C-alpha cells in the first residue's frame, strides 16, 4: 500500500508579493514528474533529471542587475536648489525695490514677479518626483503666467496704495485656487483620465492637505526663528552685545525660508510616515468630531431662534468644520457604521441651515452699512457653501430611495472644486473684483437716498482704490450739495485721519481780508469734537480754505467765512464767537457755476440783506425757520 503526503505550504508561498523585476539569482526549479491530474508529489516516486543546457558560445556573461532597483530616487538636492533659488530671488527683488533698482523700481513688474515668484516654485516643489517633469514644468509655467497677470491687475486696482488686506485676500484666493488645481491635476494623472474616480480624488485631497499642514508647521517655525520680531537673530543681539555680524541678517532670512520650505516638501514625500500619520489622524479626528459638530450646529440654530442672533463668523466657521467632517466620514466607503451614516444624513441638512443663518447676519450688515470688499468675499463663500449644502441635502434624500448611502457626494465634490477655482479666479480678476463691486454698490446706495451724514466717504478714498477715487469724482459733481461737498472734501484731503496741529490749521487757511489774522482760539480749539458743520480745513491736514472776516448778522462783530472747494463748486461755513469759543453758525453752498470762487478771491462780492421769505414757526417756545427748496436749475452769471 502506497501513501502519498501533501507537502505543507511554505511560509514564503503565503505572501502575495511579486518583485517589480526578478533578480535572476535564484536556482531554477526542477521539473515535476507527477502524473497528470494528481497535484500531490509522491515522495516515493523517482524524479526525472532536468535536461542539460545546450552549450553556449564563449562570450562574456551579462552583469547581474543592480541591487535596490525598487528604491525611489532622491529629490532632496533638486528641491533644496529650487527653494534656495526662490528665496534668493525674492530677497533680491525686495532689495531692488528698496534701492530703486530695476526690476524692483517698476511697481508693475514688482507686483507681477512677486506673486508669481511666491507661488509658482511651490507647485514645482510639491509635485517633484510624483508628477512627470514635462507636465509639471508646463503646469507651473501656465500658473506663473496667470499669477503674473493677476499681480499686474492687483497693482492697477489699488492705484498704488498700500492696502495690506487686499494683498492678503489675493494671496488667500491664490492659495486656495492653486491647491485645488494641484489636487485635480494629481488625481487626473494618477488615473490617466480627465475625470478621475472619487477614491482617487479623496485620497489625493486629504494627502495633499496633510502635506501642506506639515509644510505650514515647518515654514512657520522657520519664520518664527528667523524672520519674526522675536527671531533668533534679534534674541542674540539683545542677549549677546558682542554679536555683531558683518552682514545683514536679512540676507539669510528668505533663502533659509526657501530651504526650510523645500525640506518640508521633501520630508513629506510618498514614503513619509509623517504624512501618513497626519492624514490618518486628521481623518479620524474629523470623523469622530462629526456628531459633536452636529450638536454644536444644532445649539447655534436654537440660540439663533430663541435667544441672540449668531454672528457671521461663528456660523461660517461651524459650517466649514461641518463640511470637512462630512467628507471625512463619507470617504467613498460602502461599508460604514450606522452612526456615521446617520451623522452624515443629519449634517447634510444642518449645513444649509447654518448658511441661512450666516446669510441673515451678512444681510443685516449690508442693509445697515452697505457692501465692502470683505463682505463680497463673505457672500462668495456663503454662495459656495449654499450650493454644497443643497447638493449634500439632495444626496441624503436620494439615499433614502436606495443605492449606496450618500453616493451623490461623489458628483457634488468634484463639481464644487471646479466651481471654487472659477470663483477664486473671478474674485482676483476684473470679472468679479470685490473692490469694484463694493464701490459700485455703495455709490448706488448713496444715489438712492442714503443719508450723506452717515455715509463713509473716507472708505471710498482709503479702501476703494482706483474705483473709489473714480466714484468720489462722480459724487463731487452730484446735484445734491451735501453729497458733492463731502465727496469733494474727501477727494482733496490728504491721506490720514490724524487731527492737524495748530500750525497746520494756520497753514491750511489763507486770509483774504486785508489786515486780518486768525485768532489763537480758533487755531487751538478741538474742532473734531464739534462734528457737523465744521470746515474740513480745521480737521484734516493739507486741505486749503479761504477766510474772510465779515459782519453777516449785523450785530457789530465780524464772523469768519471759511470757503473750501474748487472753482466749479464750493461751500462755506460761517464761524461765530460765542462764550469764548468759535462755533459754526451758518453755511453756504454755491451752484455749479464756473468762476464763482475766483470772483470771491478777487473781491467781486458784497453782503446784501436777505429776500423776504417764509415766516418762521414758534412751536412751544422754539423758533423753527423754513428752508425754501431752491429751483432745479439756477442760472449762472454771464462772463461779461
Amino acid at each position: 500500500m502506497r501513501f502519498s503526503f501533501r507537502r505543507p505550504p511554505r511560509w514564503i508561498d503565503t505572501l502575495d508579493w511579486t518583485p517589480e523585476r526578478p533578480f535572476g539569482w535564484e536556482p531554477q526549479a526542477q521539473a515535476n514528474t507527477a502524473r497528470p491530474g494528481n497535484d500531490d508529489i509522491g515522495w516515493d516516486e523517482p524524479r526525472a533529471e532536468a535536461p542539460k543546457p545546450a552549450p553556449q558560445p564563449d562570450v562574456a556573461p551579462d552583469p547581474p542587475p543592480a541591487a535596490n532597483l525598487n528604491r525611489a530616487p532622491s529629490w532632496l538636492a533638486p528641491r533644496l536648489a529650487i527653494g534656495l533659488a526662490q528665496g534668493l530671488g525674492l530677497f533680491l527683488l525686495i532689495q531692488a525695490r528698496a534701492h530703486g533698482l530695476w526690476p524692483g523700481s517698476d511697481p508693475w513688474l514688482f507686483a507681477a514677479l512677486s506673486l508669481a515668484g511666491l507661488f509658482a516654485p511651490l507647485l514645482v516643489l510639491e509635485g517633484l518626483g510624483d508628477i512627470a517633469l514635462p507636465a509639471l514644468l508646463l503646469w507651473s509655467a501656465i500658473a506663473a503666467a496667470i499669477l503674473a497677470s493677476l499681480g499686474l491687475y492687483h497693482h492697477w486696482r489699488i492705484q498704488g496704495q498700500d492696502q495690506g488686506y487686499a494683498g492678503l485676500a489675493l494671496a488667500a484666493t491664490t492659495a486656495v485656487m492653486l491647491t485645488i488645481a494641484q489636487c485635480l491635476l494629481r488625481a487626473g494623472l494618477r488615473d490617466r483620465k480627465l475625470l478621475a474616480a472619487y477614491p482617487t480624488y479623496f485620497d489625493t485631497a486629504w494627502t495633499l492637505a496633510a502635506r501642506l499642514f506639515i509644510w505650514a508647521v515647518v515654514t512657520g517655525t522657520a519664520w518664527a526663528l528667523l524672520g519674526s520680531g522675536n527671531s533668533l537673530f534679534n534674541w542674540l543681539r539683545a542677549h549677546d552685545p558682542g554679536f555683531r555680524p558683518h552682514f545683514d541678517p536679512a540676507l539669510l532670512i528668505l533663502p533659509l525660508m526657501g530651504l526650510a520650505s523645500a525640506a518640508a516638501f521633501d520630508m513629506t514625500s510618498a514614503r513619509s510616515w509623517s504624512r501618513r500619520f497626519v492624514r490618518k489622524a486628521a481623518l479620524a479626528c474629523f470623523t469622530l468630531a462629526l456628531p459633536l459638530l452636529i450638536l454644536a450646529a444644532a445649539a447655534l440654530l436654537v440660540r439663533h431662534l430663541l435667544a441672540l442672533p449668531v454672528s457671521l463668523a461663528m456660523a461660517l466657521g461651524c459650517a466649514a468644520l461641518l463640511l470637512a467632517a462630512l467628507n471625512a466620514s463619507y470617504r467613498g466607503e460602502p461599508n460604514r457604521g450606522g452612526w456615521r451614516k446617520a451623522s452624515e444624513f443629519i449634517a447634510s441638512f444642518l449645513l444649509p441651515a447654518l448658511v441661512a443663518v450666516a446669510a441673515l447676519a451678512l444681510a443685516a450688515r449690508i442693509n445697515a452699512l452697505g457692501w465692502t470688499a470683505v463682505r463680497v468675499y463673505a457672500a462668495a463663500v456663503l454662495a459656495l457653501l449654499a450650493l454644497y449644502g443643497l447638493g449634500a441635502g439632495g444626496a441624503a434624500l436620494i439615499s433614502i430611495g436606495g443605492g449606496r448611502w450618500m453616493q451623490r457626494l461623489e458628483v457634488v465634490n468634484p463639481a464644487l472644486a471646479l466651481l471654487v477655482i472659477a470663483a477664486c479666479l473671478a474674485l482676483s480678476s476684473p470679472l468679479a473684483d470685490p473692490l469694484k463691486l463694493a464701490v459700485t454698490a455703495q455709490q448706488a446706495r448713496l444715489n438712492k437716498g442714503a443719508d450723506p451724514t452717515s455715509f463713509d466717504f473716507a472708505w471710498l478714498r482709503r479702501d476703494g482704490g482706483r474705483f473709489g477715487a473714480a466714484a468720489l469724482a462722480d459724487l463731487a459733481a452730484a446735484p445734491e450739495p451735501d453729497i458733492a461737498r463731502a465727496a469733494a472734501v474727501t477727494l482733496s484731503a490728504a491721506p490720514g485721519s490724524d487731527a492737524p496741529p495748530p500750525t497746520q490749521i494756520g497753514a491750511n487757511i489763507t486770509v483774504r481780508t486785508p489786515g486780518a489774522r486768525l485768532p489763537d482760539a480758533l487755531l487751538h480749539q478741538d474742532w473734531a469734537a464739534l462734528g457737523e458743520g465744521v470746515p474740513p480745513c480745521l480737521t484734516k491736514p493739507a486741505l486749503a480754505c479761504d477766510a474772510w472776516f465779515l459782519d453777516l448778522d449785523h450785530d457789530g462783530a465780524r464772523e469768519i467765512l471759511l470757503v473750501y472747494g474748487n472753482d466749479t463748486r464750493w461751500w462755506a461755513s460761517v464761524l461765530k464767537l460765542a462764550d469764548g469759543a468759535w462755533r459754526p453758525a451758518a453755511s453756504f453752498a454755491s451752484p455749479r457755476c464756473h468762476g464763482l470762487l475766483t470772483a470771491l478771491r478777487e473781491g467781486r462780492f458784497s453782503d446784501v440783506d436777505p429776500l423776504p421769505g417764509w415766516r418762521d414757526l414758534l412751536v412751544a417756545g422754539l423758533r423753527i425757520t423754513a428752508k425754501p427748496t431752491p429751483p432745479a436749475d439756477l442760472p449762472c452769471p454771464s462772463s461779461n
Side-chain angles (χ1 to χ4, degrees), residues 12 37 84 86 160 258 274 277 371 400 407 430 442 471 503 514 526:
I12 191 65
L84 182 61
Q86 181 190 20
S274 58
F277 173 78
W371 287 93
I400 299 177
Q407 183 182 5
Q442 290 282 10
T503 56
D526 184 13

Side-chain angles (χ1 to χ4, degrees), residues 355-441:
V355 172
V357 170
L360 291 176
L362 180 61
R365 298 290 293 174
I366 293 173
N367 292 333
L369 302 174
W371 287 93
T372 61
V374 177
R375 291 170 193 147
V376 173
Y377 283 114
V381 174
L382 280 176
L384 293 173
L385 287 177
L387 291 176
Y388 189 86
L390 293 177
L397 293 177
I398 294 174
S399 299
I400 299 177
R404 199 150 50 88
W405 193 258
M406 302 296 294
Q407 183 182 5
R408 297 305 183 274
L409 284 180
E410 299 181 4
V411 180
V412 175
N413 286 349
L416 187 68
L418 295 174
L419 194 59
V420 170
I421 293 177
C424 291
L425 190 59
L427 292 173
S428 304
S429 65
L431 298 176
D433 191 338
L435 277 180
K436 183 178 180 181
L437 295 177
V439 168
T440 303

Side-chain angles (χ1 to χ4, degrees), residues 53 70 92 113 149 170 176 215 270 297 300 313 347 393 426 433 447 605 612:
N70 293 328
L92 293 177
L113 292 179
S149 62
L170 177 62
V176 172
W215 171 83
L300 287 179
D433 191 338
N447 292 333
F605 72 93

Side-chain angles (χ1 to χ4, degrees), residues 79 82 119-129 133 136-137 139-141 182:
R79 280 197 174 99
I82 295 173
F119 286 99
L122 298 181
L123 298 177
V124 181
L125 291 174
E126 198 282 327
L128 200 62
L133 192 58
L136 180 62
L137 294 179
W139 156 237
S140 302
Q182 187 86 346

Side-chain angles (χ1 to χ4, degrees), residues 217-231:
V217 171
V218 173
T219 53
T221 304
W223 174 256
L225 293 176
L226 300 174
S228 65
N230 297 322
S231 65

Side-chain angles (χ1 to χ4, degrees), residues 263-491:
F265 279 118
D266 191 78
M267 66 181 292
T268 55
S269 57
R271 298 174 181 266
S272 170
W273 66 269
S274 58
R275 189 176 77 176
R276 294 195 301 269
F277 173 78
V278 171
R279 180 181 181 275
K280 292 180 179 179
L283 286 174
C285 290
F286 274 106
T287 303
L288 294 176
L290 182 58
L292 301 179
L293 290 173
I294 290 175
L295 294 178
L300 287 179
L301 294 176
V302 172
R303 177 191 174 189
H304 179 80
L305 294 176
L306 302 180
L308 298 176
V310 178
S311 65
L312 174 63
M314 187 177 297
L316 272 181
C318 187
L321 291 176
L322 199 62
L323 172 64
L326 175 60
N327 283 277
S329 176
Y330 175 65
R331 307 186 192 182
E333 297 176 353
N335 298 324
R336 304 188 301 280
W339 67 272
R340 286 171 60 181
K341 293 182 178 180
S343 299
E344 294 162 7
F345 185 83
I346 299 173
S348 300
F349 296 100
L350 286 178
L351 184 59
L354 285 175
V355 172
V357 170
L360 291 176
L362 180 61
R365 298 290 293 174
I366 293 173
N367 292 333
L369 302 174
W371 287 93
T372 61
V374 177
R375 291 170 193 147
V376 173
Y377 283 114
V381 174
L382 280 176
L384 293 173
L385 287 177
L387 291 176
Y388 189 86
L390 293 177
L397 293 177
I398 294 174
S399 299
I400 299 177
R404 199 150 50 88
W405 193 258
M406 302 296 294
Q407 183 182 5
R408 297 305 183 274
L409 284 180
E410 299 181 4
V411 180
V412 175
N413 286 349
L416 187 68
L418 295 174
L419 194 59
V420 170
I421 293 177
C424 291
L425 190 59
L427 292 173
S428 304
S429 65
L431 298 176
D433 191 338
L435 277 180
K436 183 178 180 181
L437 295 177
V439 168
T440 303
Q442 290 282 10
Q443 188 176 0
R445 171 172 167 261
L446 188 61
N447 292 333
K448 290 181 180 179
D451 187 8
T453 58
S454 61
F455 186 81
D456 191 2
F457 288 91
W459 178 85
L460 296 175
R461 172 69 183 272
R462 181 183 64 252
D463 299 330
R466 178 180 297 273
F467 310 110
L472 285 174
D474 293 340
L475 294 174
E480 295 81 1
D482 295 337
I483 296 177
R485 177 182 58 191
V489 168
T490 306
L491 192 62

